[in-house]
Structures are given as structure tokens and as C-alpha cells.
Amino acid sequence: DVQLVGSGGGLVQPGRSLRLSCVGSGFTFGDYAMHWVRQVPGKGLEWVSGIGWRSGNIDYADSVKGRFTISRDDSENTLYLQMNSLRAGDTAFYYCAKAEGSYSGYLFDSWGQGILVTVSS
Amino acid sequence: QSVLTQPPSASGIPGQSITISCSGSNSNIGTNYVYWYQQLPETAPKLVIYRGHQRPSGVPDRFSGSKSGTSASLTISDLRPEDEADYFCAAWDDGVHTPLIGGGTKLTVL
């Protein structure tokens, strides 16, 4: 079975940085695109960033472009999200999600547990 | 602006069928696969329909998906109390080259 286990969340002050990690198992990690999706408690889902097979494609939502960096280490089956210059509006649960295919056109077929990031002074 | 539009709420009684709509455009639903997710309270989203009408293993056949032009629908037949959840549609958008996710529909089973 596919498993995605996220970590790295917590309480951080505005302007500071945080790095989220997501370890995948039960599938050939390097063969699939991976994404980060966030959700403010009680609100809808917002796609944050995606990275394709062998990091061939990388995209960001306008709301995080220039502040967040997505990366992957296929040898460690791990997806990362480096979040810099954090703002109160970045407070949310962050989900890592495995895509159904290599990138374009294929969306999420498995999700990790939510990682809570709270940005507050 | 590329968006997927869902009704914010829907309701039904046990045993009834309910359909949730998702309206998009040619650059997303019109040309790409549609995915539907169920999110129970305090849990991660779960895929219930992929590629428009396919069901992952373990998802009851009470769940079905369809698409017509630039709109898609999720139908849940024989509604059960455990179906009460938020449902989100999603599709890749060729214009912005990113995934789009609908605003979600809160389904209440009366």
C-alpha cells in the first residue's frame, strides 16, 4: 500500500523558515510527480507546488512563488518543501500528495497526513 | 482566471441519490482528466473518482463520475450517513499549467 508520511511542521514566527518532508513507500517514488497542497482549517484545498518525474517540471502557486522551494530526493524517497519568509497567511495544514503519473494532466491519487504549520509571533 | 466552481453545499436523505457539479472551462475539464476527493472531518482527502469516471479499489460503486463538455459531476447513489463529508473536484489546467481544485461541496446526509 502507498504510504506518505509527512513531518517538519510546527509554530514559527513571521519571516522565519521551515522545511517540510514527506517520505513515500509502497511505490516506486521516482516514477511519479509529487505535490504539496495546503488547507486552512475549515477552508478549501489550495495547491501549493508540484514537482515532476526526475524534477523535470516544477511549478508554484502565485501565493508562494519566490518564497517556497520544492525538491525531491528519489534515493531517499523523500519530498521536501522549503518555506522561507513565512507569513500568517501561510498557516495551514500541508499535505503531500502523490500524482497518478509523471506530471502534467495527472493529479493526486494518494495523500499524506496533514502537517500543521502555524505562523505567529 | 482559471477556476473550478462547485456548489458550497448539498444535502440528501439516506437511500437517495445526490449529484455534485463542478464547472470549469476548455483549458481544464474540457481537455483533462477530472478527479474527485472525499474529505471526512479531521482527515486527509481521499480519492474517490479518477480520470473522470474510474473508481479506485475499495470505493463503493455507489460513487460514479461523469463529464460533459466543461462540466463534471459526482453522483452518490443510495446515500448513507457515512457519506457526509466535503467533496472536492480537481483537474489540470493547460492555461496556467498547474492543478486546479474546486472550492468544495459540503454534503450533509439528513
Side-chain angles (χ1 to χ4, degrees):
Chain A
D1 283 4
V2 171
Q3 273 207 310
L4 297 169
V5 180
S7 61
L11 173 63
V12 61
Q13 293 179 328
R16 303 299 289 266
S17 299
L18 206 59
R19 188 176 82 157
L20 304 183
S21 300
C22 173
V23 178
S25 62
F27 64 103
T28 305
F29 187 86
D31 285 353
Y32 297 93
M34 297 292 296
H35 296 266
W36 290 100
V37 177
R38 69 184 180 184
Q39 184 175 38
V40 173
K43 302 296 184 182
L45 300 170
E46 178 191 13
W47 174 82
V48 172
S49 181
I51 184 167
W53 177 72
R54 296 190 179 182
S55 305
N57 297 87
I58 291 178
D59 290 293
Y60 300 96
D62 287 344
S63 56
V64 307
K65 202 171 291 184
R67 300 187 299 122
F68 289 13
T69 301
I70 191 171
S71 62
R72 62 190 298 162
D73 183 340
D74 293 342
S75 68
E76 297 290 334
N77 292 347
T78 303
L79 174 73
Y80 299 101
L81 185 67
Q82 177 67 42
M83 304 185 293
N84 298 333
S85 303
L86 282 162
R87 307 166 178 167
D90 296 318
T91 295
F93 284 97
Y94 285 74
Y95 296 97
C96 63
K98 168 188 169 292
E100 195 202 348
S102 57
Y103 197 63
S104 300
Y106 299 101
L107 295 198
F108 335 113
D109 63 1
S110 298
W111 299 68
Q113 92 284 10
I115 307 167
L116 181 59
V117 172
T118 304
V119 183
S120 174
S121 53
Chain B
Q1 188 174 359
S2 296
V3 295
L4 299 181
T5 302
Q6 298 180 237
S9 64
S11 62
I13 60 174
Q16 195 177 38
S17 289
I18 190 107
T19 297
I20 297 171
S21 62
C22 176
S23 177
S25 64
N26 284 326
S27 62
N28 41 71
I29 292 177
T31 51
N32 290 298
Y33 294 130
V34 179
Y35 296 73
W36 288 93
Y37 303 95
Q38 175 195 62
Q39 187 176 32
L40 300 170
E42 311 295 326
T43 67
K46 169 192 166 186
L47 179 69
V48 291
I49 294 289
Y50 67 103
R51 300 195 186 190
H53 65 279
Q54 305 280 2
R55 262 188 325 274
S57 62
V59 174
D61 60 6
R62 300 184 296 105
F63 289 80
S64 62
S66 64
K67 185 175 91 168
S68 177
T70 59
S71 292
S73 297
L74 172 71
T75 297
I76 309 172
S77 60
D78 187 22
L79 209 55
R80 300 183 181 184
E82 58 263 34
D83 298 331
E84 187 162 288
D86 293 324
Y87 291 86
F88 297 89
C89 62
W92 185 269
D93 188 277
D94 290 334
V96 294
H97 201 254
T98 65
L100 294 181
I101 305 174
T105 298
K106 183 175 186 61
L107 174 64
T108 301
V109 180
L110 303 169

